[in-house]
Amino acid sequence: GETSSLLISNSTFSTNAKSGITVDNLIGNSRISLTTVIGNNYNGLYVSNTQGKISVVTSMFLHNKHNGVIITEITGTLELTNVNCSKNQASGIVVDSGTLSFQMSDSLVEENGGQGLHILNQVNSTINIYNSQFVRNSNGEGVYLQAFRYCYVRLVEVLSLGNSQNGALFTRLS
C-alpha cells in the first residue's frame, strides 16, 4: 500500500490556543484516523501548501472557534471518509485553491456557524460526494461550490436540509 509521510491516529487535539492540527508545506501522503479535534481556539485542522494525498478517516472536528477543517493550496487527493465536522463557529469544511481529486463519503457536517462544505477556486478538479449529510448550517449553504474551471462534480445520496441559505449552491463553474 501507500506509505504516509505523516500519520496521526487514535489521538485527541483539544483546547489549544491556535489550531488543533496545522500542516504546512507537506509533499507526500498524510493520514489522520480515529482522531478527535475539539474546542480549539482557531481551526480544527488547517492544511496549506500541500502536494500528495490527504486521507481523513473516522475522525471528528467539533466546537472549534473557526473552521472544522480548512485546506488551502492543495495539489493531489483529498479523501474524507466517516468524518464529523460539526458545531464549529465558522464553516465545517473549506477547500480553497487547488487542483484535486476530492472524495467525501459517509460524513456529517452539521450546525456550523458558516457554510457546511465550501469548495472554491479549483482548476482541473474532480469532486465526488457520496452518502453525506449537510444539516442546519446557520450562516450559508449546505454545500457551496464556487469558481471552478475544467472541473467535474458529482453528488450522490446527499442530504442537505435546514441550512440558512441553499441546500446546495453552484456558482461560476465551467
Side-chain angles (χ1 to χ4, degrees):
E2 297 175 351
T3 58
S4 292
S5 303
L6 173 66
L7 175 62
I8 300 171
S9 185
N10 294 298
S11 299
T12 299
F13 299 86
S14 179
T15 62
N16 294 290
K18 289 191 173 181
S19 293
I21 302 169
T22 297
V23 179
D24 185 40
N25 274 320
L26 177 80
I27 298 175
N29 298 322
S30 57
R31 182 176 176 88
I32 299 171
S33 64
L34 301 166
T35 293
T36 299
V37 182
I38 186 168
N40 295 288
N41 208 41
Y42 198 52
N43 296 300
L45 171 63
Y46 176 51
V47 179
S48 64
N49 300 307
T50 59
Q51 297 177 33
K53 180 178 181 179
I54 301 170
S55 298
V56 182
V57 181
T58 314
S59 295
M60 297 185 295
F61 302 87
L62 309 172
H63 295 284
N64 297 291
K65 291 206 171 130
H66 204 58
N67 299 297
V69 172
I70 180 165
I71 298 176
T72 64
E73 299 175 42
I74 178 175
T75 301
T77 300
L78 174 58
E79 292 181 347
L80 305 176
T81 306
N82 191 26
V83 170
N84 183 343
C85 284
S86 298
K87 296 181 168 63
N88 299 290
Q89 290 184 17
S91 293
I93 302 166
V94 177
V95 181
D96 186 1
S97 300
T99 297
L100 80 151
S101 170
F102 177 86
Q103 313 287 331
M104 180 178 187
S105 63
D106 306 312
S107 294
L108 175 64
V109 181
E110 85 175 333
E111 295 178 3
N112 295 290
Q115 319 286 345
L117 169 65
H118 189 187
I119 304 178
L120 64 159
N121 300 318
Q122 298 297 311
V123 179
N124 292 324
S125 295
T126 300
I127 311 298
N128 284 298
I129 303 170
Y130 174 73
N131 191 35
S132 294
Q133 299 181 12
F134 304 89
V135 181
R136 291 185 302 278
N137 295 288
S138 64
N139 191 22
E141 330 300 331
V143 176
Y144 186 11
L145 306 184
Q146 170 188 19
F148 282 31
R149 287 184 304 154
Y150 314 112
C151 295
Y152 172 81
V153 175
R154 186 176 72 165
L155 281 69
V156 178
E157 294 184 25
V158 167
L159 173 65
S160 185
L161 65 86
N163 298 291
S164 70
Q165 300 291 323
N166 296 287
L169 175 60
F170 307 99
T171 181
R172 295 184 12 237
L173 306 186
S174 66

